[in-house]
Structure formats: structure tokens, C-alpha cells
PDB file of all heavy atoms in Angstrom:
ATOM      1  N   ALA A  12       3.879   1.111 -10.003  1.00 86.00           N
ATOM      2  CA  ALA A  12       4.360   0.566  -8.732  1.00 86.00           C
ATOM      3  C   ALA A  12       5.641   1.224  -8.264  1.00 86.00           C
ATOM      4  O   ALA A  12       5.999   1.132  -7.091  1.00 86.00           O
ATOM      5  CB  ALA A  12       4.583  -0.940  -8.869  1.00 86.00           C
ATOM      6  N   ARG A  13       6.358   1.902  -9.158  1.00 82.00           N
ATOM      7  CA  ARG A  13       7.598   2.570  -8.762  1.00 82.00           C
ATOM      8  C   ARG A  13       7.330   3.979  -8.235  1.00 82.00           C
ATOM      9  O   ARG A  13       8.238   4.638  -7.735  1.00 82.00           O
ATOM     10  CB  ARG A  13       8.544   2.649  -9.956  1.00 82.00           C
ATOM     11  CG  ARG A  13       8.996   1.284 -10.476  1.00 82.00           C
ATOM     12  CD  ARG A  13       9.591   1.388 -11.862  1.00 82.00           C
ATOM     13  NE  ARG A  13       8.571   1.858 -12.818  1.00 82.00           N
ATOM     14  CZ  ARG A  13       8.802   2.062 -14.112  1.00 82.00           C
ATOM     15  NH1 ARG A  13      10.005   1.842 -14.600  1.00 82.00           N
ATOM     16  NH2 ARG A  13       7.836   2.479 -14.909  1.00 82.00           N
ATOM     17  N   GLY A  14       6.085   4.422  -8.345  1.00 80.00           N
ATOM     18  CA  GLY A  14       5.743   5.778  -7.932  1.00 80.00           C
ATOM     19  C   GLY A  14       5.220   5.827  -6.509  1.00 80.00           C
ATOM     20  O   GLY A  14       5.353   4.884  -5.733  1.00 80.00           O
ATOM     21  N   THR A  15       4.633   6.953  -6.162  1.00 78.00           N
ATOM     22  CA  THR A  15       4.094   7.141  -4.824  1.00 78.00           C
ATOM     23  C   THR A  15       2.584   6.957  -4.855  1.00 78.00           C
ATOM     24  O   THR A  15       1.971   6.832  -5.907  1.00 78.00           O
ATOM     25  CB  THR A  15       4.435   8.544  -4.300  1.00 78.00           C
ATOM     26  OG1 THR A  15       3.912   9.520  -5.217  1.00 78.00           O
ATOM     27  CG2 THR A  15       5.930   8.723  -4.173  1.00 78.00           C
ATOM     28  N   TRP A  16       2.009   6.918  -3.685  1.00 84.00           N
ATOM     29  CA  TRP A  16       0.559   6.790  -3.559  1.00 84.00           C
ATOM     30  C   TRP A  16      -0.136   7.921  -4.329  1.00 84.00           C
ATOM     31  O   TRP A  16       0.228   9.085  -4.175  1.00 84.00           O
ATOM     32  CB  TRP A  16       0.175   6.851  -2.084  1.00 84.00           C
ATOM     33  CG  TRP A  16      -1.282   6.781  -1.833  1.00 84.00           C
ATOM     34  CD1 TRP A  16      -2.137   7.831  -1.615  1.00 84.00           C
ATOM     35  CD2 TRP A  16      -2.086   5.603  -1.768  1.00 84.00           C
ATOM     36  NE1 TRP A  16      -3.416   7.372  -1.421  1.00 84.00           N
ATOM     37  CE2 TRP A  16      -3.413   6.008  -1.514  1.00 84.00           C
ATOM     38  CE3 TRP A  16      -1.821   4.245  -1.910  1.00 84.00           C
ATOM     39  CZ2 TRP A  16      -4.466   5.102  -1.382  1.00 84.00           C
ATOM     40  CZ3 TRP A  16      -2.862   3.347  -1.781  1.00 84.00           C
ATOM     41  CH2 TRP A  16      -4.167   3.776  -1.517  1.00 84.00           C
ATOM     42  N   PRO A  17      -1.134   7.596  -5.163  1.00 80.00           N
ATOM     43  CA  PRO A  17      -1.804   8.641  -5.965  1.00 80.00           C
ATOM     44  C   PRO A  17      -2.766   9.473  -5.120  1.00 80.00           C
ATOM     45  O   PRO A  17      -3.981   9.413  -5.264  1.00 80.00           O
ATOM     46  CB  PRO A  17      -2.537   7.824  -7.033  1.00 80.00           C
ATOM     47  CG  PRO A  17      -2.768   6.494  -6.392  1.00 80.00           C
ATOM     48  CD  PRO A  17      -1.601   6.240  -5.482  1.00 80.00           C
ATOM     49  N   GLU A  18      -2.173  10.278  -4.236  1.00 75.00           N
ATOM     50  CA  GLU A  18      -2.966  10.993  -3.239  1.00 75.00           C
ATOM     51  C   GLU A  18      -3.929  11.989  -3.881  1.00 75.00           C
ATOM     52  O   GLU A  18      -5.048  12.185  -3.403  1.00 75.00           O
ATOM     53  CB  GLU A  18      -2.033  11.723  -2.270  1.00 75.00           C
ATOM     54  CG  GLU A  18      -2.745  12.290  -1.053  1.00 75.00           C
ATOM     55  CD  GLU A  18      -1.760  12.855  -0.036  1.00 75.00           C
ATOM     56  OE1 GLU A  18      -0.615  13.144  -0.404  1.00 75.00           O
ATOM     57  OE2 GLU A  18      -2.167  13.005   1.117  1.00 75.00           O
ATOM     58  N   ASP A  19      -3.515  12.614  -4.977  1.00 72.00           N
ATOM     59  CA  ASP A  19      -4.379  13.607  -5.611  1.00 72.00           C
ATOM     60  C   ASP A  19      -5.687  12.990  -6.076  1.00 72.00           C
ATOM     61  O   ASP A  19      -6.741  13.628  -6.006  1.00 72.00           O
ATOM     62  CB  ASP A  19      -3.662  14.263  -6.799  1.00 72.00           C
ATOM     63  CG  ASP A  19      -2.494  15.139  -6.356  1.00 72.00           C
ATOM     64  OD1 ASP A  19      -2.462  15.484  -5.164  1.00 72.00           O
ATOM     65  OD2 ASP A  19      -1.633  15.450  -7.188  1.00 72.00           O
ATOM     66  N   SER A  20      -5.628  11.758  -6.563  1.00 76.00           N
ATOM     67  CA  SER A  20      -6.843  11.132  -7.086  1.00 76.00           C
ATOM     68  C   SER A  20      -7.557  10.278  -6.047  1.00 76.00           C
ATOM     69  O   SER A  20      -8.786  10.167  -6.075  1.00 76.00           O
ATOM     70  CB  SER A  20      -6.503  10.274  -8.314  1.00 76.00           C
ATOM     71  OG  SER A  20      -5.537   9.296  -7.981  1.00 76.00           O
ATOM     72  N   LEU A  21      -6.826   9.672  -5.122  1.00 80.00           N
ATOM     73  CA  LEU A  21      -7.441   8.754  -4.175  1.00 80.00           C
ATOM     74  C   LEU A  21      -7.575   9.317  -2.765  1.00 80.00           C
ATOM     75  O   LEU A  21      -8.372   8.817  -1.984  1.00 80.00           O
ATOM     76  CB  LEU A  21      -6.621   7.453  -4.100  1.00 80.00           C
ATOM     77  CG  LEU A  21      -6.641   6.555  -5.336  1.00 80.00           C
ATOM     78  CD1 LEU A  21      -5.858   5.275  -5.065  1.00 80.00           C
ATOM     79  CD2 LEU A  21      -8.058   6.211  -5.746  1.00 80.00           C
ATOM     80  N   GLY A  22      -6.792  10.343  -2.418  1.00 85.00           N
ATOM     81  CA  GLY A  22      -6.802  10.790  -1.033  1.00 85.00           C
ATOM     82  C   GLY A  22      -6.292   9.678  -0.126  1.00 85.00           C
ATOM     83  O   GLY A  22      -5.587   8.776  -0.554  1.00 85.00           O
ATOM     84  N   TRP A  23      -6.645   9.740   1.140  1.00 91.00           N
ATOM     85  CA  TRP A  23      -6.270   8.675   2.072  1.00 91.00           C
ATOM     86  C   TRP A  23      -7.433   8.438   3.026  1.00 91.00           C
ATOM     87  O   TRP A  23      -7.786   9.306   3.823  1.00 91.00           O
ATOM     88  CB  TRP A  23      -5.012   9.029   2.863  1.00 91.00           C
ATOM     89  CG  TRP A  23      -4.647   7.941   3.836  1.00 91.00           C
ATOM     90  CD1 TRP A  23      -4.816   7.946   5.192  1.00 91.00           C
ATOM     91  CD2 TRP A  23      -4.084   6.662   3.515  1.00 91.00           C
ATOM     92  NE1 TRP A  23      -4.390   6.763   5.736  1.00 91.00           N
ATOM     93  CE2 TRP A  23      -3.941   5.949   4.726  1.00 91.00           C
ATOM     94  CE3 TRP A  23      -3.704   6.044   2.325  1.00 91.00           C
ATOM     95  CZ2 TRP A  23      -3.416   4.642   4.773  1.00 91.00           C
ATOM     96  CZ3 TRP A  23      -3.187   4.759   2.377  1.00 91.00           C
ATOM     97  CH2 TRP A  23      -3.043   4.083   3.587  1.00 91.00           C
ATOM     98  N   LEU A  24      -8.028   7.260   2.946  1.00 91.00           N
ATOM     99  CA  LEU A  24      -9.051   6.837   3.894  1.00 91.00           C
ATOM    100  C   LEU A  24      -8.410   5.837   4.839  1.00 91.00           C
ATOM    101  O   LEU A  24      -7.902   4.798   4.385  1.00 91.00           O
ATOM    102  CB  LEU A  24     -10.238   6.194   3.174  1.00 91.00           C
ATOM    103  CG  LEU A  24     -11.057   7.119   2.286  1.00 91.00           C
ATOM    104  CD1 LEU A  24     -12.136   6.325   1.551  1.00 91.00           C
ATOM    105  CD2 LEU A  24     -11.692   8.222   3.108  1.00 91.00           C
ATOM    106  N   PRO A  25      -8.389   6.092   6.142  1.00 93.00           N
ATOM    107  CA  PRO A  25      -7.683   5.208   7.070  1.00 93.00           C
ATOM    108  C   PRO A  25      -8.229   3.782   7.013  1.00 93.00           C
ATOM    109  O   PRO A  25      -9.424   3.573   7.247  1.00 93.00           O
ATOM    110  CB  PRO A  25      -7.949   5.846   8.443  1.00 93.00           C
ATOM    111  CG  PRO A  25      -8.219   7.277   8.149  1.00 93.00           C
ATOM    112  CD  PRO A  25      -8.929   7.283   6.827  1.00 93.00           C
ATOM    113  N   PRO A  26      -7.387   2.786   6.739  1.00 94.00           N
ATOM    114  CA  PRO A  26      -7.845   1.398   6.769  1.00 94.00           C
ATOM    115  C   PRO A  26      -7.966   0.846   8.189  1.00 94.00           C
ATOM    116  O   PRO A  26      -8.527  -0.226   8.393  1.00 94.00           O
ATOM    117  CB  PRO A  26      -6.765   0.658   5.976  1.00 94.00           C
ATOM    118  CG  PRO A  26      -5.534   1.484   6.182  1.00 94.00           C
ATOM    119  CD  PRO A  26      -5.996   2.906   6.278  1.00 94.00           C
ATOM    120  N   SER A  27      -7.414   1.578   9.168  1.00 93.00           N
ATOM    121  CA  SER A  27      -7.545   1.236  10.583  1.00 93.00           C
ATOM    122  C   SER A  27      -7.280   2.510  11.379  1.00 93.00           C
ATOM    123  O   SER A  27      -6.655   3.449  10.882  1.00 93.00           O
ATOM    124  CB  SER A  27      -6.561   0.128  10.974  1.00 93.00           C
ATOM    125  OG  SER A  27      -5.236   0.475  10.659  1.00 93.00           O
ATOM    126  N   PRO A  28      -7.759   2.572  12.628  1.00 92.00           N
ATOM    127  CA  PRO A  28      -7.704   3.836  13.372  1.00 92.00           C
ATOM    128  C   PRO A  28      -6.309   4.397  13.586  1.00 92.00           C
ATOM    129  O   PRO A  28      -6.144   5.615  13.655  1.00 92.00           O
ATOM    130  CB  PRO A  28      -8.363   3.478  14.717  1.00 92.00           C
ATOM    131  CG  PRO A  28      -9.246   2.318  14.419  1.00 92.00           C
ATOM    132  CD  PRO A  28      -8.526   1.536  13.359  1.00 92.00           C
ATOM    133  N   ALA A  29      -5.290   3.531  13.711  1.00 92.00           N
ATOM    134  CA  ALA A  29      -3.950   4.016  14.027  1.00 92.00           C
ATOM    135  C   ALA A  29      -3.162   4.459  12.797  1.00 92.00           C
ATOM    136  O   ALA A  29      -1.995   4.823  12.919  1.00 92.00           O
ATOM    137  CB  ALA A  29      -3.160   2.947  14.779  1.00 92.00           C
ATOM    138  N   LEU A  30      -3.811   4.438  11.625  1.00 95.00           N
ATOM    139  CA  LEU A  30      -3.157   4.926  10.411  1.00 95.00           C
ATOM    140  C   LEU A  30      -4.000   6.048   9.813  1.00 95.00           C
ATOM    141  O   LEU A  30      -4.539   5.928   8.710  1.00 95.00           O
ATOM    142  CB  LEU A  30      -2.973   3.780   9.407  1.00 95.00           C
ATOM    143  CG  LEU A  30      -2.096   2.623   9.872  1.00 95.00           C
ATOM    144  CD1 LEU A  30      -2.049   1.530   8.817  1.00 95.00           C
ATOM    145  CD2 LEU A  30      -0.692   3.106  10.227  1.00 95.00           C
ATOM    146  N   PRO A  31      -4.101   7.177  10.540  1.00 94.00           N
ATOM    147  CA  PRO A  31      -5.006   8.242  10.113  1.00 94.00           C
ATOM    148  C   PRO A  31      -4.513   9.051   8.926  1.00 94.00           C
ATOM    149  O   PRO A  31      -5.280   9.787   8.322  1.00 94.00           O
ATOM    150  CB  PRO A  31      -5.110   9.130  11.359  1.00 94.00           C
ATOM    151  CG  PRO A  31      -3.785   8.947  12.051  1.00 94.00           C
ATOM    152  CD  PRO A  31      -3.444   7.500  11.822  1.00 94.00           C
ATOM    153  N   SER A  32      -3.222   8.918   8.610  1.00 95.00           N
ATOM    154  CA  SER A  32      -2.644   9.712   7.531  1.00 95.00           C
ATOM    155  C   SER A  32      -1.796   8.825   6.636  1.00 95.00           C
ATOM    156  O   SER A  32      -1.359   7.731   7.037  1.00 95.00           O
ATOM    157  CB  SER A  32      -1.768  10.839   8.096  1.00 95.00           C
ATOM    158  OG  SER A  32      -0.608  10.295   8.724  1.00 95.00           O
ATOM    159  N   LEU A  33      -1.550   9.314   5.429  1.00 95.00           N
ATOM    160  CA  LEU A  33      -0.669   8.577   4.527  1.00 95.00           C
ATOM    161  C   LEU A  33       0.730   8.448   5.111  1.00 95.00           C
ATOM    162  O   LEU A  33       1.352   7.381   5.019  1.00 95.00           O
ATOM    163  CB  LEU A  33      -0.632   9.285   3.167  1.00 95.00           C
ATOM    164  CG  LEU A  33       0.330   8.697   2.120  1.00 95.00           C
ATOM    165  CD1 LEU A  33       0.034   7.233   1.860  1.00 95.00           C
ATOM    166  CD2 LEU A  33       0.251   9.508   0.834  1.00 95.00           C
ATOM    167  N   ASP A  34       1.246   9.488   5.751  1.00 96.00           N
ATOM    168  CA  ASP A  34       2.591   9.409   6.327  1.00 96.00           C
ATOM    169  C   ASP A  34       2.662   8.362   7.439  1.00 96.00           C
ATOM    170  O   ASP A  34       3.681   7.680   7.588  1.00 96.00           O
ATOM    171  CB  ASP A  34       3.035  10.773   6.840  1.00 96.00           C
ATOM    172  CG  ASP A  34       3.464  11.708   5.712  1.00 96.00           C
ATOM    173  OD1 ASP A  34       3.536  11.249   4.546  1.00 96.00           O
ATOM    174  OD2 ASP A  34       3.711  12.895   5.987  1.00 96.00           O
ATOM    175  N   ALA A  35       1.593   8.225   8.222  1.00 97.00           N
ATOM    176  CA  ALA A  35       1.570   7.174   9.247  1.00 97.00           C
ATOM    177  C   ALA A  35       1.663   5.802   8.593  1.00 97.00           C
ATOM    178  O   ALA A  35       2.378   4.920   9.075  1.00 97.00           O
ATOM    179  CB  ALA A  35       0.302   7.284  10.086  1.00 97.00           C
ATOM    180  N   ALA A  36       0.932   5.612   7.491  1.00 97.00           N
ATOM    181  CA  ALA A  36       0.987   4.329   6.783  1.00 97.00           C
ATOM    182  C   ALA A  36       2.362   4.075   6.188  1.00 97.00           C
ATOM    183  O   ALA A  36       2.866   2.943   6.215  1.00 97.00           O
ATOM    184  CB  ALA A  36      -0.073   4.304   5.684  1.00 97.00           C
ATOM    185  N   LEU A  37       3.002   5.135   5.660  1.00 97.00           N
ATOM    186  CA  LEU A  37       4.332   4.965   5.085  1.00 97.00           C
ATOM    187  C   LEU A  37       5.364   4.607   6.156  1.00 97.00           C
ATOM    188  O   LEU A  37       6.272   3.808   5.924  1.00 97.00           O
ATOM    189  CB  LEU A  37       4.751   6.242   4.357  1.00 97.00           C
ATOM    190  CG  LEU A  37       3.939   6.611   3.110  1.00 97.00           C
ATOM    191  CD1 LEU A  37       4.444   7.921   2.522  1.00 97.00           C
ATOM    192  CD2 LEU A  37       3.995   5.503   2.072  1.00 97.00           C
ATOM    193  N   ALA A  38       5.241   5.192   7.331  1.00 98.00           N
ATOM    194  CA  ALA A  38       6.204   4.928   8.408  1.00 98.00           C
ATOM    195  C   ALA A  38       5.954   3.592   9.102  1.00 98.00           C
ATOM    196  O   ALA A  38       6.872   3.030   9.716  1.00 98.00           O
ATOM    197  CB  ALA A  38       6.147   6.058   9.440  1.00 98.00           C
ATOM    198  N   TYR A  39       4.753   3.068   8.980  1.00 98.00           N
ATOM    199  CA  TYR A  39       4.324   1.909   9.753  1.00 98.00           C
ATOM    200  C   TYR A  39       5.234   0.688   9.640  1.00 98.00           C
ATOM    201  O   TYR A  39       5.584   0.090  10.663  1.00 98.00           O
ATOM    202  CB  TYR A  39       2.888   1.559   9.357  1.00 98.00           C
ATOM    203  CG  TYR A  39       2.322   0.337  10.005  1.00 98.00           C
ATOM    204  CD1 TYR A  39       1.905   0.354  11.337  1.00 98.00           C
ATOM    205  CD2 TYR A  39       2.189  -0.862   9.298  1.00 98.00           C
ATOM    206  CE1 TYR A  39       1.373  -0.782  11.931  1.00 98.00           C
ATOM    207  CE2 TYR A  39       1.658  -1.985   9.880  1.00 98.00           C
ATOM    208  CZ  TYR A  39       1.256  -1.950  11.193  1.00 98.00           C
ATOM    209  OH  TYR A  39       0.739  -3.077  11.779  1.00 98.00           O
ATOM    210  N   PRO A  40       5.658   0.247   8.449  1.00 98.00           N
ATOM    211  CA  PRO A  40       6.474  -0.974   8.403  1.00 98.00           C
ATOM    212  C   PRO A  40       7.749  -0.904   9.232  1.00 98.00           C
ATOM    213  O   PRO A  40       8.183  -1.924   9.777  1.00 98.00           O
ATOM    214  CB  PRO A  40       6.801  -1.115   6.909  1.00 98.00           C
ATOM    215  CG  PRO A  40       5.696  -0.414   6.208  1.00 98.00           C
ATOM    216  CD  PRO A  40       5.366   0.757   7.091  1.00 98.00           C
ATOM    217  N   GLY A  41       8.355   0.267   9.356  1.00 98.00           N
ATOM    218  CA  GLY A  41       9.577   0.400  10.135  1.00 98.00           C
ATOM    219  C   GLY A  41       9.334   0.715  11.589  1.00 98.00           C
ATOM    220  O   GLY A  41       9.943   0.126  12.491  1.00 98.00           O
ATOM    221  N   VAL A  42       8.403   1.635  11.858  1.00 98.00           N
ATOM    222  CA  VAL A  42       8.213   2.124  13.232  1.00 98.00           C
ATOM    223  C   VAL A  42       7.355   1.177  14.060  1.00 98.00           C
ATOM    224  O   VAL A  42       7.415   1.192  15.293  1.00 98.00           O
ATOM    225  CB  VAL A  42       7.616   3.548  13.200  1.00 98.00           C
ATOM    226  CG1 VAL A  42       7.390   4.098  14.600  1.00 98.00           C
ATOM    227  CG2 VAL A  42       8.546   4.486  12.425  1.00 98.00           C
TER     228      VAL A  42
END
């Protein structure tokens, strides 16, 4: 839980259309 998203093993599948990338999801709570 202290690490980052395991992108190498899981990749990123958008859970909704406006979060197409991992960086969008990371920025979402603030922006």
C-alpha cells in the first residue's frame, strides 16, 4: 500500500471514460 500502482503487471483499464490513463486517475482527487 505504500508503493505505486503495479502498472507493469496490471496495466490500466479505465474504470470510467474520463480516467483514460493512470496519471488522470492519480490527478483526479485534487483536480
Side-chain angles (χ1 to χ4, degrees):
R13 297 164 297 179
T15 57
W16 178 263
E18 190 173 20
D19 292 343
S20 57
L21 291 184
W23 179 255
L24 294 176
S27 55
L30 298 177
S32 68
L33 176 57
D34 283 353
L37 294 178
Y39 177 76
V42 180

